[in-house]
Amino acid sequence: MVTIKKIAQLTKVSAATVSNVLNGKSGAASEAKAREIIDVARNLHYMPNMLAKSLKQQKTNTIGIITEDLTVFNTPEIVDGIDACCEENDYGIILTNMRLFKRYNNDFTDTPKHHELLDATLRSMSAKQVEGIVYVGYHCREIAYLPSRVQVPFVYAYCYPREGIYPSVLYDDEKAAFDVTELLIQKGHRKIGVICGPAISYHTQARLRGFNRAMAKHRIRTKPGMVVYGDWERQSGYNLAGSLIDLKVSAVFSFNDLMASGVYERAAEQGLQIGKDLSLFGFDNRDISQGYVPALSTVEPPLHEIGHKCAEIILSQIKRRRTTKKRLFLPCVIHERNSVFVTQVKSPVSFALSK
């Protein structure tokens, strides 16, 4: 391994001079000697010992990322957003994946096993001397168990703590659902069926609030049976679409794209064409949403932006010692595609779509 001392011997200067030149300190050596030192270091493929440097400076320029499960669809984009912000600010990342979904399926929230695993993961992160930590949730929910003895800035992504000790960054489900519902009403739809996720889900509750708020704004009543509950999977969308079609709805708002895929199949079996006989809106903007025929209208959560904002908060606390305990909500993007059509009603409502 090539060291600074070796380069100093070859260039006949002190190790301190080599260090200053390689770190870009002006006036450390004459222009000719500095060029010689840099050339020798390059020819010997010198790599600085970043660990030793960070220990000396007591600064590692690294952010720790703890993911509950890296395999679920939302997590990679959030991690990429954190990484992008760190790269912009000359910081690196250390990633740890707790694999909670693979370990415990859906039964992992605030269990003793989860607490032990989180505390062990935090100890490992602390040993690596990260300057801040972002905790990325598998799905959005309230987290009761708070990490103990965290000595660095800490922020939650895609989940939030029960007690407002740490900041969190989420996206605005309610506003997105409100805007989707308004768009459907603007297209002339009054009988709008809704396929929710599980009733206990944070996403279900927030999106349903947005839907109900838009319907109430325009004094449109939702008839019994037009709001049904699934499990986020395609099969539940297929099963529940039948009852909504029987109620003669003109539009279906599915609270995720996977359940919406089941609506395509059920509609086809009953001789209905999506985008012509039945409007359909999804949520998540999964890659497959544009592969349906016609392409699925859907909502794109700002996953990359959530990660980026979390890193911004961490870096702000590190550099400026500013702290926040706020829960931030970022806006979603609505993609209207050919799965939605204009229908005719006796008394159309005219309004501007909420921004």
Side-chain angles (χ1 to χ4, degrees):
M1 179 179 177
V2 180
T3 65
I4 283 180
K5 288 184 178 180
K6 179 65 174 179
I7 298 172
Q9 290 173 358
L10 294 173
T11 55
K12 298 179 181 179
V13 296
S14 68
T17 298
V18 173
S19 178
N20 288 334
V21 168
L22 295 181
N23 282 295
K25 187 174 182 179
S26 61
S30 66
E31 183 177 344
K33 182 56 73 173
R35 190 181 306 113
E36 179 187 356
I37 291 170
I38 292 171
D39 288 343
V40 169
R42 183 184 297 115
N43 292 335
L44 294 177
H45 305 290
Y46 167 74
M47 296 292 290
N49 187 331
M50 299 306 296
L51 178 59
K53 182 178 180 181
S54 65
L55 289 173
K56 182 179 179 180
Q57 296 178 340
Q58 295 185 329
K59 185 175 176 61
T60 61
N61 276 44
T62 57
I63 298 298
I65 304 174
I66 299 174
T67 64
E68 290 189 334
D69 202 296
L70 192 58
T71 64
V72 296
F73 88 93
N74 60 281
T75 304
E77 272 298 309
I78 295 175
V79 170
D80 186 63
I82 299 168
D83 191 22
C85 184
C86 287
E87 183 179 305
E88 293 164 10
N89 290 275
D90 295 322
Y91 266 68
I93 62 170
I94 295 177
L95 176 64
T96 296
N97 180 29
M98 295 200 296
R99 300 178 56 249
L100 293 187
F101 185 69
K102 292 294 181 67
R103 291 176 192 267
Y104 310 126
N105 200 9
N106 276 322
D107 184 23
F108 63 77
T109 303
D110 292 317
T111 65
K113 289 182 178 179
H114 172 241
H115 302 170
E116 293 171 8
L117 182 59
L118 175 56
D119 284 340
T121 304
L122 286 169
R123 287 194 296 271
S124 176
M125 281 287 183
S126 297
K128 295 179 175 67
Q129 297 186 318
V130 296
E131 295 182 38
I133 297 173
V134 181
Y135 183 93
V136 183
Y138 154 58
H139 62 81
C140 192
R141 68 192 191 284
E142 178 186 85
I143 295 181
Y145 181 73
L146 294 176
S148 58
R149 300 187 182 90
V150 177
Q151 303 297 322
V152 296
F154 189 94
V155 61
Y156 287 94
Y158 204 70
C159 56
Y160 59 95
R162 177 176 297 174
E163 300 178 28
I165 297 176
Y166 302 106
S168 58
V169 184
L170 317 165
Y171 57 81
D172 199 339
D173 286 271
E174 182 175 342
K175 178 65 163 57
F178 177 88
D179 285 347
V180 167
T181 308
E182 285 232 304
L183 186 151
L184 291 172
I185 295 171
Q186 188 182 40
K187 298 289 184 182
H189 296 284
R190 299 296 178 270
K191 298 183 69 175
I192 304 172
V194 179
I195 302 179
C196 304
I200 63 172
S201 165
Y202 169 90
H203 294 302
T204 293
Q205 294 169 8
R207 293 170 195 176
L208 197 54
R209 284 196 303 271
F211 169 78
N212 287 332
R213 187 158 57 88
M215 296 290 276
K217 174 184 175 182
H218 298 286
R219 300 180 181 179
I220 303 172
R221 293 185 178 180
T222 302
K223 294 183 178 180
M226 292 177 66
V227 175
V228 293
Y229 293 85
D231 61 5
W232 303 123
E233 298 298 330
R234 177 182 175 279
Q235 188 62 44
S236 69
Y238 172 85
N239 294 338
L240 295 168
S243 63
L244 296 179
I245 291 171
D246 290 343
L247 290 173
K248 308 295 183 183
V249 300
S250 64
V252 172
F253 182 11
S254 171
F255 280 1
N256 80 339
D257 293 346
L258 282 178
M259 293 190 297
S261 69
V263 179
Y264 276 92
E265 183 178 355
R266 190 62 177 262
E269 288 180 358
Q270 298 193 212
L272 300 176
Q273 183 177 338
I274 299 297
K276 182 178 180 182
D277 305 307
L278 182 68
S279 283
L280 179 61
F281 233 102
F283 208 112
D284 289 337
N285 196 38
R286 302 289 289 271
D287 291 341
I288 197 172
S289 64
Q290 296 194 63
Y292 298 126
V293 180
L296 177 64
S297 300
T298 187
V299 178
E300 179 181 359
L303 300 176
H304 185 275
E305 291 79 4
I306 286 176
H308 200 281
K309 176 58 69 174
C310 285
E312 285 179 9
I313 292 171
I314 293 287
L315 293 172
S316 177
Q317 292 187 15
I318 292 171
K319 296 176 180 179
R320 302 178 182 87
R321 304 303 178 188
R322 294 178 180 174
T323 60
T324 178
K325 298 178 181 178
K326 294 182 179 179
R327 189 183 302 177
L328 302 178
F329 293 90
L330 303 186
C332 298
V333 177
I334 294 177
H335 297 282
E336 182 185 355
R337 299 177 180 136
N338 292 333
S339 65
V340 173
F341 65 95
V342 177
T343 187
Q344 298 296 321
V345 295
K346 292 182 181 179
S347 301
V349 178
S350 178
F351 59 90
L353 182 63
S354 174
K355 297 298 183 184

